[in-house]
Amino acid sequence: MKLPKEAIVERAFQLSTIVSGSITFLIFSFMFYMALPLIREGKIFQILTSTWSPLDDVYGILPMIITTFAISFLSVLIAFPISIGCSSFINEIGPKQLNRYLKKIVQVMTGIPTVIYGFVGIFLLVPIVREFSGKGSGMSVITAALMLSVLISPTMILFFNDSFERVPASYLNAAEGLGASRVQKLIYVIFPNAKKGIIIGLILAFGRALGDTLIALMIAGNSTQIPGSLFDSARTLTAHIALVIAADYESLEFKSIFASGMVLYLFTAGIVIVVRHFAFGEKNTR
Amino acid sequence: MVKTILSIKEELMKKVWILFVFISLCLVFWGLSISFAQSLDTFKGEKGSVKISGGTAHIPVMKEAARIIMTANPDIQITIAGGGSGVGIKQVGEGLVDIGNTGRKPTDDEIKRYNLKLFLWAIDGVALIVNPKNKVRSLSKNQVIDIFSGRIDNWKALGGEDRKINLYTRDEASGTREVFWEKALAKGAIAEKANVVVSNGAMKSAISQDPYAIGYVSVGHIDKTVEVITFEGVTPAIDTVKSGQYSIARGLFSNTKGEPTPLTKKFLDFLYTAEGQKIIAKNGFIPVK
């Protein structure tokens, strides 16, 4: 027997689920609709495969696609070992007293707005990279990747922490009883059992790196070339959208942002689906 | 006993001083209010808000005018946002703001599409700037074209250090970029490797941070943190822009959709009063009557 009140609440939750779920699809269909003229005229292929040269009336986003992938992969590559190390320290290796504070600091870090990271990047990181590399302006792929890795590590660390904590204490006690050291416990007990959490943390962090606009806009330099080295200035898809959104509605350069949006959307969705499938598939076979 | 008398005396002196400072401050404000009284009279009894966005070159003048008007009449709210000329036209055209600023004349198509009414209130130069650490101070038009197209890519070729030139340009929607591209680069190519920044302010801070940089800003944004380049033998300054000797110049426009609302009209009119013109000139622009 369900109370009428309960039924109302259930309906309300159902409705909000449907709304938030359908918004995802609505956004995609909106972008698809806006990009339709490009697809119909066959320009979409040109946009996806050529570079940005307004003088020739060619508004390709290939350099931005390459830069987006380069910067987000790099930042995850940098942030992953740091985050794993940090979580291991907080959960297993470090002294308990200190760990409490470390955890608080990480929590605070997740809440810092990205514009502040960008700002710090301009005044601290950019001059360092410029002098270190000895060429370029210091606004480059590596600068943005480094700053982004600082942005995404707290998210990763918190996720890893949670999954480490969920490893049953009995497993750890058993390992300890067999004479395992702390590091051995981490490698043979915690990591394998927390694998799913680690993978989900990675997806989320990657998504954040991929979707972040301000850091790349502020310190990656925004040039429209295909970056040839880590120290080259480059523009991400998100920064490209932010830079071109003010252009004339009717212009082809404005329409290129719908292609950018679709690429971002499809790529993020693709990564999530593939990695989730991989993670859940693992669970089902067990 | 003596001590207390002394301390009382000291306290009295302190009070006298505070009173003196207070009175002199009052006098200063009174004087200010008199000097602005005439131009600000029209705002008496007005209420409401004016929303402004668009060209970033306009911001220093808009801010100062807004501050003075809002101090005189706290019932008026004036908000100022940047975004670039393209944003200005788009937002005023869609009725999101009351005034859309542009650092170029809106195209005929834009004027027709949005029924824009143009207010030209200043002439502005666009100056090439470098970091103060850079020794290069003078460039010809051909050199500038070669630098921005990437044909000259080392400061050594121009008498500077043996370092690569870091190019800075503005985004697609910038009026400053459009004028610079038309008048300094003769519509030539801008190298793909050029860094892109989103406002005059961001350009200035980028150049002031980077010793090997070259970029361009509205003359109104120049300060001690950057060094101005003499272009074709002419230094960008108020008198050279005014006389037409310095060629990279443009009008600063404020645009409204159709006829402006009464308060918006009063704000725009303020820019043409003696006080408004003083503010415009103080910021390095040439006021237009």
Side-chain angles (χ1 to χ4, degrees), chain A residues 122-123 139, chain B residues 56 60 127 129-132 168-170 197-210 213-227:
Chain A
I122 284 185
F123 288 100
M139 294 195 187
Chain B
T56 54
I129 52 169
V130 293
N131 190 279
Y168 286 82
T169 185
R170 287 281 308 279
V197 292
V198 289
S199 69
N200 274 299
M203 177 69 88
K204 192 187 74 187
S205 48
I207 305 285
S208 67
Q209 289 279 312
D210 183 349
I214 187 165
Y216 51 88
V217 289
S218 148
V219 170
H221 275 77
I222 290 166
D223 61 18
K224 280 187 209 128
T225 60
V226 292
E227 203 60 59

Side-chain angles (χ1 to χ4, degrees), chain A residues 183-282:
Chain A
V183 177
Q184 281 171 328
K185 263 200 289 183
L186 269 171
I187 295 175
Y188 297 111
V189 183
I190 296 181
F191 287 169
N193 278 295
K195 197 168 159 193
K196 209 177 123 196
I198 292 175
I199 288 170
I200 291 176
L202 263 175
I203 301 179
L204 271 178
F206 187 77
R208 247 197 122 176
L210 201 69
D212 187 76
T213 312
L214 263 172
I215 288 183
L217 188 65
M218 286 169 92
I219 62 177
N222 299 324
S223 78
T224 52
Q225 64 186 350
I226 296 174
S229 88
L230 290 181
F231 299 106
D232 276 352
S233 158
R235 182 188 293 193
T236 61
L237 285 168
T238 47
H240 178 67
I241 293 175
L243 285 166
V244 178
I245 197 134
D248 196 338
Y249 275 152
E250 305 299 320
S251 64
L252 201 56
E253 52 205 292
F254 185 76
K255 282 176 186 149
S256 80
I257 70 177
F258 293 108
S260 309
M262 286 215 337
V263 170
L264 266 178
Y265 191 106
L266 289 177
F267 191 74
T268 321
I271 286 270
V272 171
I273 290 168
V274 166
V275 180
R276 284 223 150 201
H277 181 78
F278 164 71
F280 282 123
E282 193 88 347

